[in-house]
Amino acid sequence: MDWSPVWISLKTASVTIVIVFFVGLWAAKMVADLKNEKLKMVLDGLLTLPMVLPPTVAGCFLLYLFGVRRPLGIFFLEYFGVKIAFSWGATVLAAAVISFPLMYRSARGALEQVDQNLVYAARTLGFSEWKIFWRVRMPVCMPGIAGGAVLAFARGLGEFGATSMIAGNILGKTRTLPLAVYSATAAGDMDTAGRYVTVILLISFLAVVFINYFSRKGFGNSSA
């Protein structure tokens, strides 16, 4: 069994969750704190859109933007010498776009459930808004945010449609575990496909246990 899809998937999912966690948290805070309900609805719709689109459609849209002859693709190639489409970076881009709404919506839901009396009390004590966010809101929201991180990591690890469109299925470069399962199944090698499926199940299970354990531990310490 070729182990390169395992390392590519782990690297892709790890980089993706770091990006999606902070960007999703920032977007959730921005939307949750908006006072204009109409603007909030529009932004929420745009940020959630990748979750309801078929992954292949999202991948096609990314390819339209980042293809070597497309606007953003030309920009990155000419000014940074970086080719996005059909590179390992494209696997991260696809996974981040598809998994982002899960992190965003989980974080936003958690932030909106915070008791505002805690926020008001912190303000009377002279806390800055930034300090309120990290010292008051974040500890209360940690279970919901950690849950969103788990879902985003698992979604990034299992991303197939958008990845196949913009990154392709290049062995040793962009072939992630889902693509490896597809390739092995298409070739009639069910034994290899089964091994890849087992690896995906094991990684996903360990990720859920790991993140849940440390999020609960952190939440317990912050409540003490």
Side-chain angles (χ1 to χ4, degrees):
M1 185 178 79
D2 181 12
W3 287 91
S4 63
V6 178
W7 311 130
I8 292 171
S9 288
L10 286 175
K11 186 167 65 169
T12 298
S14 299
V15 173
T16 296
I17 190 57
V18 172
I19 297 171
V20 166
F21 181 85
F22 289 104
V23 176
L25 194 57
W26 172 80
K29 181 181 182 301
M30 179 189 68
V31 174
D33 292 345
L34 280 176
K35 303 301 181 183
N36 189 320
E37 291 299 325
K38 291 183 179 179
L39 179 60
K40 181 182 289 190
M41 289 176 61
V42 172
L43 287 176
D44 183 71
L46 291 174
L47 294 173
T48 307
L49 192 59
M51 187 169 66
V52 296
L53 283 176
T56 50
V57 173
C60 185
F61 180 72
L62 291 175
L63 188 60
Y64 182 82
L65 291 177
F66 291 95
V68 291
R69 296 183 179 179
R70 295 300 178 177
L72 292 178
I74 294 173
F75 173 79
F76 278 98
L77 194 59
E78 289 187 354
Y79 290 94
F80 300 101
V82 176
K83 179 185 175 185
I84 302 295
F86 303 105
S87 67
W88 174 75
T91 67
V92 175
L93 177 63
V97 168
I98 298 300
S99 62
F100 169 82
L102 295 172
M103 182 66 213
Y104 157 72
R105 291 197 68 85
S106 297
R108 182 191 164 190
L111 288 170
E112 290 180 341
Q113 294 301 313
V114 175
D115 186 352
Q116 289 301 305
N117 289 325
L118 295 175
V119 177
Y120 297 148
R123 285 173 180 162
T124 60
L125 294 174
F127 282 29
S128 65
E129 292 299 317
W130 191 248
K131 192 173 183 180
I132 290 172
F133 177 72
W134 288 108
R135 298 290 299 276
V136 178
R137 300 174 76 181
M138 275 294 288
V140 176
C141 295
M142 188 54 67
I145 291 172
V150 172
L151 292 174
F153 179 86
R155 187 67 185 86
L157 185 69
E159 166 50 33
F160 175 82
T163 302
S164 63
M165 292 291 292
I166 190 172
N169 187 7
I170 306 170
L171 180 62
K173 187 177 181 181
T174 65
R175 180 174 292 181
T176 57
L177 277 169
L179 289 167
V181 171
Y182 171 80
S183 298
T185 303
D189 189 355
M190 300 306 296
D191 290 337
T192 300
R195 294 188 189 100
Y196 284 133
V197 168
T198 302
V199 172
I200 293 175
L201 288 172
L202 181 61
I203 294 173
S204 300
F205 176 74
L206 290 177
V208 171
V209 171
F210 178 83
I211 296 178
N212 281 343
Y213 173 76
F214 283 100
S215 66
R216 289 178 181 275
K217 185 177 180 181
F219 178 66
N221 289 341
S222 64
S223 300

